[in-house]
Amino acid sequence: ITQDLADLELTLEQLIFKGGGSTPLNQISGGKPYAELRAVRQMLFWGGLENKTLSSEQVSKAFFREVWVKDVRPSTAFHFLFTFAPALLSSPHHACRMNAEEYTGNLVKFDGSVDDGEAKAWMTTMNCCDAYQQRESIDGGVSIGDRRVPAILMIVGPELLRRRRY
């Protein structure tokens, strides 16, 4: 996957130049998109949930200590954490009854702005976590996935949004 991400980065750089752009990828919009791409690469290899003895609070604190967290938009972090969640925790696009492409289209506007979409992503994530809490009582502990994820999302979500605004 590391090689695939490096290939993606190289391909994006080539697309910019073939499209007539003269600004390198790491200088577009102050370097924020490039920093996020690099941060996602690091995020994909995060092992914070591997230690099952850690509480949700401890995992959340470890999450915020990661250097890449500051460069990843909150919705990206939310969706990354959803990949570890129990099956009863609906993903945001399923909760909205959309496919992933439609959901992403609601998050990112044509002008590239994302901040309003971030607030919507957080509201949807909270709704998913609330619905999970209601379903969890009937699960009986047989669900595959890390049952700490909904609590982690509820801890990190507000702080990620606060950091994004400032």
Side-chain angles (χ1 to χ4, degrees), residues 79 90-109 120 124:
H79 291 96
S90 299
S91 65
H93 68 278
H94 286 137
C96 292
R97 298 183 185 343
M98 298 178 176
N99 65 36
E101 183 179 356
E102 292 170 328
Y103 183 74
T104 304
N106 284 338
L107 293 179
V108 181
K109 304 299 177 219
K120 288 179 187 174
T124 305

Side-chain angles (χ1 to χ4, degrees), residues 64-128:
F64 283 122
R65 284 192 295 266
E66 296 294 331
V67 295
W68 48 262
V69 169
K70 67 180 176 24
D71 293 320
V72 176
R73 67 184 76 169
S75 60
T76 302
F78 301 155
H79 291 96
F80 171 71
L81 289 170
F82 266 96
T83 65
F84 299 99
L88 286 178
L89 180 61
S90 299
S91 65
H93 68 278
H94 286 137
C96 292
R97 298 183 185 343
M98 298 178 176
N99 65 36
E101 183 179 356
E102 292 170 328
Y103 183 74
T104 304
N106 284 338
L107 293 179
V108 181
K109 304 299 177 219
F110 289 118
D111 65 359
S113 63
V114 295
D115 288 333
D116 185 45
E118 294 301 321
K120 288 179 187 174
W122 173 237
M123 294 303 293
T124 305
T125 298
M126 282 194 320
N127 290 338
C128 291

Side-chain angles (χ1 to χ4, degrees), residues 31-52:
K32 286 184 178 182
Y34 182 71
E36 185 169 12
L37 177 63
R38 307 265 316 178
V40 166
R41 182 185 299 180
Q42 292 174 329
M43 181 180 70
L44 291 176
F45 294 99
W46 181 64
L49 291 168
E50 290 173 0
N51 185 346
K52 301 295 182 196

